[in-house]
Amino acid sequence: KYCDCNSRGVGCDPSVCTCISCENMMKPLSEMVDDDLVPVHEDETEVFAPTEVEDIDLLGRCSVKGLHNFSHRIDVFEKLRRVADPTEKINLAYIARESAAQETKEVMDEESQTREALQAEIQKLESKLQAKIEKESGALDTYREDTNRVMCLELKEPCRWNSTYQQLKSYVMRTGDLPPVPSACVAEVDRRLSIWVQEMKSLVFSKSQRIVNAPHRIEALESLGIEWIESSEDRWNSMLGKLVAYKRQHDTVKLPSFMQCRKSKDKDLTALRHWVDVQEAEVKSGAMAKRRD
């Protein structure tokens, strides 16, 4: 308990009163009468220990030792002068605060104007960028259309590749499928087409520039049903699965002879017979064991 006025400003010592609403807090000591001053009895304990006051600068800035920093409580500009009849020191402090407030407001106004100008400039730049993006998109669409037209015309130009491709296309349209492996072909023309398909697969698998630089040719071959070369492991597993399916259907893995498979015109059976022959040869020569090691 710092005083007995209970915020009424009566009967307390203004030198120690801390009630913010106490009238004595706003009254200069020079205006107080003796009745306002209540002596401190010697047997009473002082609430505040005396503090040393450092020098006060020309602007009246107070630097009382032990005084807290109240900056975190200041978030608006204060215009109120709480002391009605201030002394010279606090009056200088009031003047310094008002000058700092005015300077801060000017800086804030400049910052706001700069921010608005930058935002307006950013909007202009964004509009220009969007226009450039739309223009770029339109140019790319035109380029793609022109390039597509060129690729279509290239597939119709007289050359060896296009001639062979047209023969392969006619074969697929006539038979409904690609030619079998070269060893399973009967006609020489079909065998040549089969060899050519194998060459194209090899070029794609090796990523040769001869075919990679012509993606429209790759897509044209894919449209005929060509599937590119699998890895050796994937192909081996695929053929093994076909052999298991054959055993499940016929209760045996003994296939007809290669000539009988060719006469049956079953290209899948012919390819499976050829694969089995290769596996048997590799087992006998020890090549399969070496590859697994």
Side-chain angles (χ1 to χ4, degrees):
K1 189 175 182 180
Y2 301 143
C3 61
D4 297 325
C5 72
N6 293 325
S7 300
R8 297 193 304 273
V10 179
C12 67
D13 185 355
S15 64
V16 298
C17 180
T18 58
C19 299
I20 192 62
S21 59
C22 179
E23 295 178 359
N24 284 333
M25 288 292 292
M26 299 292 104
K27 185 186 296 183
L29 292 176
S30 60
E31 297 180 5
M32 292 187 177
V33 296
D34 295 339
D35 294 340
D36 294 332
L37 301 176
V38 178
V40 178
H41 300 288
E42 296 180 357
D43 58 344
E44 294 181 357
T45 304
E46 291 188 11
V47 177
F48 298 105
T51 60
E52 297 181 3
V53 180
E54 296 180 350
D55 293 336
I56 299 177
D57 59 20
L58 296 177
L59 295 178
R61 295 191 178 93
C62 181
S63 57
V64 180
K65 288 185 177 180
L67 195 63
H68 294 291
N69 185 356
F70 302 112
S71 299
H72 64 284
R73 297 181 178 274
I74 303 172
D75 55 358
V76 294
F77 293 107
E78 289 190 351
K79 297 181 180 179
L80 176 64
R81 292 192 174 195
R82 294 186 178 85
V83 180
D85 187 12
T87 62
E88 181 181 359
K89 293 178 182 179
I90 193 171
N91 187 53
L92 290 174
Y94 281 145
I95 294 174
R97 183 186 67 178
E98 292 169 358
S99 176
Q102 181 63 28
E103 182 180 354
T104 304
K105 289 181 180 179
E106 292 176 358
V107 173
M108 293 178 66
D109 290 341
E110 292 177 359
E111 184 272 341
S112 178
Q113 294 174 3
T114 303
R115 182 186 297 273
E116 291 177 358
L118 288 175
Q119 289 177 345
E121 185 66 21
I122 289 173
Q123 290 179 353
K124 291 180 180 180
L125 292 175
E126 288 179 345
S127 299
K128 289 183 179 180
L129 177 61
Q130 184 62 33
K132 293 293 184 181
I133 291 175
E134 293 177 357
K135 185 176 180 180
E136 177 188 15
S137 178
L140 284 174
D141 290 341
T142 302
Y143 169 76
R144 292 190 183 99
E145 292 176 359
D146 292 343
T147 302
N148 181 70
R149 188 178 300 109
V150 168
M151 289 181 172
C152 291
L153 292 175
E154 283 181 349
L155 291 176
K156 296 179 181 179
E157 282 291 299
C159 66
R160 180 175 178 273
W161 195 95
N162 288 342
S163 176
T164 307
Y165 170 76
Q166 292 299 330
Q167 293 178 22
L168 179 64
K169 184 177 180 181
S170 299
Y171 179 93
V172 173
M173 294 179 64
R174 184 176 69 256
T175 63
D177 203 351
L178 294 168
V181 294
S183 58
C185 295
V186 178
E188 179 64 18
V189 62
D190 296 344
R191 189 181 70 83
R192 291 180 179 179
L193 284 178
S194 179
I195 294 174
W196 186 78
V197 170
Q198 298 300 322
E199 290 177 353
M200 294 300 104
K201 288 183 177 181
S202 178
L203 291 176
V204 172
F205 183 75
S206 62
K207 298 181 180 179
S208 173
Q209 297 299 318
R210 292 170 53 190
I211 193 69
V212 172
N213 290 337
H216 54 308
R217 287 184 172 180
I218 296 177
E219 187 170 347
L221 294 173
E222 290 176 347
S223 66
L224 298 181
I226 293 180
E227 297 179 356
W228 307 117
I229 298 175
E230 303 173 312
S231 66
S232 58
E233 182 178 357
D234 291 340
R235 178 171 176 77
W236 196 93
N237 291 332
S238 175
M239 297 305 293
L240 177 63
K242 292 180 179 180
L243 182 61
V244 172
Y246 182 89
K247 181 180 184 302
R248 188 181 299 112
Q249 181 179 0
H250 302 280
D251 294 328
T252 181
V253 292
K254 186 176 181 180
L255 301 175
S257 65
F258 186 77
M259 293 303 298
Q260 290 176 334
C261 293
R262 290 187 61 179
K263 290 180 180 180
S264 67
K265 297 184 179 181
D266 187 339
K267 63 177 184 179
D268 291 334
L269 182 61
T270 303
L272 182 60
R273 176 70 218 197
H274 176 71
W275 180 80
V276 170
D277 291 343
V278 172
Q279 304 311 306
E280 290 179 351
E282 289 187 351
V283 170
K284 292 179 180 178
S285 63
M288 181 175 291
K290 292 180 181 179
R291 187 169 61 249
R292 288 184 177 179
D293 294 339

